[in-house]
Amino acid sequence: MLEELREPSAGDPAAEGCWLERDFAEGDLPRLRVLTEEFAMWAGLAAAHRGEFVLAVNEVASNAIVHGGGRGRLMLRRTDGEVQCRVTDRGPGFDAAVIPELLPGLDSRCGRGLWLVRLVTDRLTIVPGPVGTVVTLAIRLP
């Protein structure tokens, strides 16, 4: 499956270090998890952190499907010192204020995934746009 990963594009600063960029919908989530795991392994992320990275990417991609218009765009890349995922959707937009400070109760359906993403990543940014949101998460490399 590593054949889907590609060399970074030369001359495109937004895609610098990009090894996978693709659109996705609900049926694509299992494949995205496998590709994310392979990318993280290739990038040198330790085994324990690979699982956390895959979990975080899955949560953000799932949110794009459920809350962001049913589809999204994923970009995985390695930069100096970290692996990074950016997910863009076309939903109504939101910001980091929706992430609860404390773990929500089991009866709450709001913010649990993003709370977990913030917990297992080193960096999480959420940028609402005129249409949709860009969520970027990263884990530092050893």
Side-chain angles (χ1 to χ4, degrees):
M1 287 186 212
L2 280 172
E3 64 275 2
E4 291 187 50
L5 302 177
R6 62 176 170 76
E7 289 290 333
S9 304
D12 180 0
E16 185 178 330
C18 176
W19 283 88
L20 177 70
E21 187 167 9
R22 68 185 304 160
D23 294 325
F24 65 88
E26 185 173 4
D28 300 316
L29 287 177
R31 182 110 178 108
L32 285 183
R33 287 190 295 269
V34 170
L35 290 170
T36 300
E37 170 81 17
E38 289 181 351
F39 165 76
M41 186 171 24
W42 168 86
L45 202 54
H49 294 299
R50 281 196 303 266
E52 293 170 344
F53 187 68
V54 172
L55 174 69
V57 169
N58 184 69
E59 288 297 326
V60 172
S62 295
N63 277 351
I65 291 166
V66 173
H67 305 291
R71 305 191 62 74
R73 183 151 188 87
L74 172 110
M75 181 170 59
L76 297 175
R77 66 186 193 172
R78 178 182 175 166
T79 62
D80 287 336
E82 67 182 19
V83 291
Q84 187 181 94
C85 172
R86 182 176 71 194
V87 172
T88 306
D89 67 39
R90 311 232 350 101
F94 70 98
D95 60 33
V98 303
I99 306 173
E101 289 298 316
L102 301 174
L103 175 63
L106 293 176
D107 59 342
S108 173
R109 297 191 46 83
C110 180
R112 291 179 69 84
L114 289 173
W115 180 86
L116 184 59
V117 170
R118 186 174 61 197
L119 182 69
V120 301
T121 59
D122 294 312
R123 183 167 53 86
L124 174 64
T125 59
I126 301 169
V127 179
V131 177
T133 305
V134 177
V135 177
T136 304
L137 61 96
I139 294 181
R140 284 188 296 273
L141 290 164

